[in-house]
Amino acid sequence: MRAGALRACASARAAATGAGVRSTARTLAAGTVAVLGLACSFAWPAYSAWARPNHGSSAALVRAEATGRAAATGGAAATSTTSAGGTSPHPTAVSHPKTVSRPKNPGALRVTGVRCVPASECLPSKWHEVSQGGFLHIEGRGLRAGLPVAFPSSPLARISRSSPVARLATSATLGLVVRVPANAHTGDIVVRSTAARHSNAFGPIHVVAHSIHPPTPPGTPAPLDPSPAVADTPFGQQGMWIWYVSKSDGGSVATIAAQAKAAGVGTLFIKSSDGPSNFWSQFTPQLVAELHADGLKVCAWQYVYGNEPVGEAELGAQAVIDGAECLVIDAESEYEGRYGAAQTYIETLRAKIGPAYPVGLASFPYVNYHESFPYSVFLGPDGAQFNVPQMYWKDIGSSVAQVYVTTFEQNLIYERPICPLGQTFEKPSATELVAFRSLAGPYSGCPPSFWDWQETTAAGWSALAAPLSPEATVPQPEATAPLLVKGNKGDQVLWLQEHLATAIPTQEVTGVFTAATQTNLEAFQTAHGVPATGQTDPTTWADLLALAPVAVQWTANGPAS
């Protein structure tokens, strides 16, 4: 994919459509872009497929599956959906989920999803963790029974000719599976077709020597009681996003208010501007006042590009003047690599609206797929107080449970309340919508909001008002995520370095996990009584995040490449 073409097409699409929040999930996977004359055509591969299994047979797994079905409790994977797409993160990324070294040949083998099976032998919150001798469900393109799967011979080792190997087999209920060799270790796995041809590397898969027995999943989640961090803010109520007021119940304020109340929606997020000079006429003090009179909170959201951040900040401030109770920044692919612009936007906005006014960031949920997006600026000191990731599971090609796990794994280090933004477009099932709502409370205590009003069906509105699921399993994010090691790069590494530099002033803030960064991290770990692994384990993250990040004055476009 050519970045210039993507920006050109994104800008053209934004100008034509108003660049709504919905566009995020379609650009998440960094799809291919072709510019033909005046037309842009887009192909959107999904992030990761946790697909329903293919049909087949595997005698070796029948007994395990029978046990799994008897002991299974619903698990986090129960809501998974099918996707034929794949992933395309940076080759050095290590966080979950990821694929590496994408094959250049479109017909080559490609792994798009891996998870532990059966449920009785896996932890629902750690689908990428498996016992030696356990089973992994593998999906992708060009895969078939009999192909060898290579595992690391030592922790995080590269795949070589001497790597432990096991062959793919088919299971009647679990699809394509492989038994993990007894001498396999944690790291990326590769499927081979010949000695010279192989799939992308996928992982890391966490291989443990002990048997895994999942805990009994929790029962009925309690009614959503907002956490203190959001309770007294517009983010403390279930929300709905409005793109065009005129296309939302015909623009009738009375009808909008009635529908919102019937669905348990207390906050409306209404588009107020697009870019640096296009303030939308639909966002007016009169509209805000009428909705307030009907007992609704009203927030503004603006789509920003980064070309003229001062003008964008001024339009955001105008929405505040017009009565918005919070402002949400919808920053997407156009802001990738624009750290200086992000800093200018935040500084200008805060100078106009003050440091305490509630601001949210609605952007990509999977941080490691967008290494050059300035999360650490938008969510850093003086930035947005609320993280509103666009967790569109259907558009991503994931499941409700998996989008929660991955999003929280990737975003918790920024230490902002995470307020899930779900989808009602693409006609998600009532079960999915109720599950998304049910997981919001246990995960963050922040009620979810949904994109968007004009695409919500009658069944969707009913699901927003339905009781929370009494059978919702609450998976938890991996405590070690994001696991950063030498060779990684991106905003998560930059965030690590900004905190590490507070303790070790010689640490450079580049966004690249170099040998010097590893040495400094080992010294920091030793000073804090932590094993000097040079990797970001949970204790190391806790010690780092206890420090204030160093201030960076951005004059360039972001982390070093």
Side-chain angles (χ1 to χ4, degrees):
M1 173 178 61
R2 299 182 184 276
L6 176 57
R7 286 193 293 273
C9 290
S11 297
R13 185 176 69 254
T17 66
V21 179
R22 178 176 176 178
S23 63
T24 290
R26 300 182 182 278
T27 60
L28 283 173
T32 58
V33 176
V35 179
L36 304 174
L38 297 178
C40 296
S41 61
F42 300 86
W44 309 111
Y47 271 24
S48 172
W50 299 94
R52 290 185 292 269
N54 298 322
H55 293 288
S57 62
S58 176
L61 200 58
V62 170
R63 291 185 297 275
E65 290 173 4
T67 302
R69 286 191 296 272
T73 55
T79 58
S80 67
T81 56
T82 264
S83 172
T87 60
S88 57
H90 194 279
T92 59
V94 172
S95 303
H96 314 294
K98 75 172 185 78
T99 53
V100 186
S101 62
R102 180 175 178 177
K104 296 181 179 179
N105 179 358
L109 299 178
R110 186 178 179 194
V111 178
T112 60
V114 176
R115 60 182 171 88
C116 174
V117 291
S120 61
E121 300 299 327
C122 309
L123 291 173
S125 62
K126 299 181 180 180
W127 298 336
H128 49 271
E129 181 170 306
V130 64
S131 299
Q132 292 173 338
F135 287 92
L136 290 172
H137 167 66
I138 300 182
E139 54 194 354
R141 299 175 182 173
L143 306 182
R144 64 182 185 277
L147 290 180
V149 181
F151 292 77
S153 58
S154 61
L156 301 179
R158 299 177 67 89
I159 299 299
S160 66
R161 294 182 181 274
S162 60
S163 296
V165 170
R167 294 190 178 273
L168 289 170
T170 54
S171 161
T173 59
L174 297 176
L176 210 54
V177 297
V178 64
R179 182 186 289 273
V180 179
N183 57 341
H185 291 274
T186 294
D188 297 340
I189 65 172
V190 167
V191 179
R192 292 172 172 166
S193 58
T194 66
R197 299 186 63 187
H198 57 79
S199 73
N200 55 300
F202 192 100
I205 304 302
H206 293 271
V207 179
V208 298
H210 59 272
S211 296
I212 298 175
H213 298 289
T216 301
T220 305
L224 185 49
D225 184 15
S227 69
V230 302
D232 296 326
T233 75
F235 298 96
Q237 301 185 54
Q238 182 166 267
M240 176 60 75
W241 289 59
I242 292 180
W243 188 356
Y244 292 99
V245 173
S246 62
K247 295 182 180 180
S248 303
D249 282 322
S252 167
V253 174
T255 305
I256 289 173
Q259 179 64 79
K261 291 178 180 179
V265 169
T267 300
L268 298 180
F269 298 86
I270 302 175
K271 185 164 186 180
S272 60
S273 64
D274 192 279
S277 59
N278 184 12
F279 192 87
W280 283 29
S281 59
Q282 68 180 15
F283 197 91
T284 64
Q286 179 182 355
L287 173 66
V288 174
E290 290 179 4
L291 292 171
H292 280 170
D294 285 315
L296 295 171
K297 294 184 180 297
V298 181
C299 292
W301 68 270
Q302 60 172 158
Y303 194 92
V304 294
Y305 300 84
N307 294 320
E308 299 180 46
V310 172
E312 291 173 337
E314 289 174 344
L315 293 192
Q318 181 61 51
V320 175
I321 293 173
D322 287 347
E325 294 171 82
C326 77
L327 175 69
V328 181
I329 310 160
D330 181 5
E332 302 182 13
S333 60
E334 295 84 0
Y335 253 97
E336 290 185 292
R338 294 188 171 184
Y339 277 67
Q343 187 171 59
T344 297
Y345 171 91
I346 290 296
E347 291 176 348
T348 304
L349 181 67
R350 283 302 181 192
K352 291 181 174 296
I353 66 175
Y357 183 85
V359 175
L361 171 70
S363 193
F364 308 111
Y366 293 1
V367 178
N368 62 323
Y369 280 79
H370 299 275
E371 296 171 339
S372 64
F373 186 86
Y375 293 93
S376 57
V377 177
F378 280 119
L379 296 172
D382 301 321
Q385 303 102 314
F386 302 91
N387 189 356
V388 191
Q390 299 174 30
M391 297 163 59
Y392 305 152
W393 66 94
K394 284 179 69 71
D395 231 15
I396 291 171
S398 185
S399 67
V400 170
Q402 184 59 37
V403 79
Y404 265 96
V405 170
T406 305
T407 298
F408 276 70
E409 284 179 357
Q410 294 293 312
N411 286 270
L412 285 173
I413 60 171
Y414 296 106
E415 297 188 299
R416 298 298 194 189
I418 299 175
C419 298
L421 172 52
Q423 65 176 109
T424 53
F425 68 95
E426 294 188 341
K427 298 180 180 179
S429 70
T431 299
E432 290 174 311
L433 289 172
V434 172
F436 192 88
R437 293 174 52 232
S438 298
L439 290 180
Y443 258 84
S444 65
C446 187
S449 59
F450 293 88
W451 176 270
D452 69 318
W453 188 295
Q454 67 195 57
E455 297 177 89
T456 306
T457 64
W461 284 114
S462 296
L464 296 187
L468 299 181
S469 173
E471 300 178 355
T473 299
V474 185
Q476 295 299 314
E478 175 66 61
T480 57
L483 175 66
L484 302 178
V485 299
K486 179 183 175 183
N488 291 159
K489 68 177 183 178
D491 193 79
Q492 292 172 331
V493 175
L494 191 148
W495 193 235
L496 158 69
Q497 292 172 330
E498 288 184 10
H499 288 79
L500 187 57
T502 299
I504 303 177
T506 57
Q507 172 63 54
E508 294 183 344
V509 180
T510 63
V512 180
F513 201 124
T514 62
T517 298
Q518 178 175 307
T519 298
N520 288 338
L521 185 59
E522 291 172 350
F524 177 85
Q525 290 172 322
T526 298
H528 287 75
V530 180
T533 63
Q535 301 178 8
T536 54
D537 56 76
T539 304
T540 300
W541 269 121
D543 290 338
L544 284 168
L545 295 176
L547 304 174
V550 297
V552 179
Q553 188 60 43
W554 291 105
T555 57
N557 289 331
S561 58

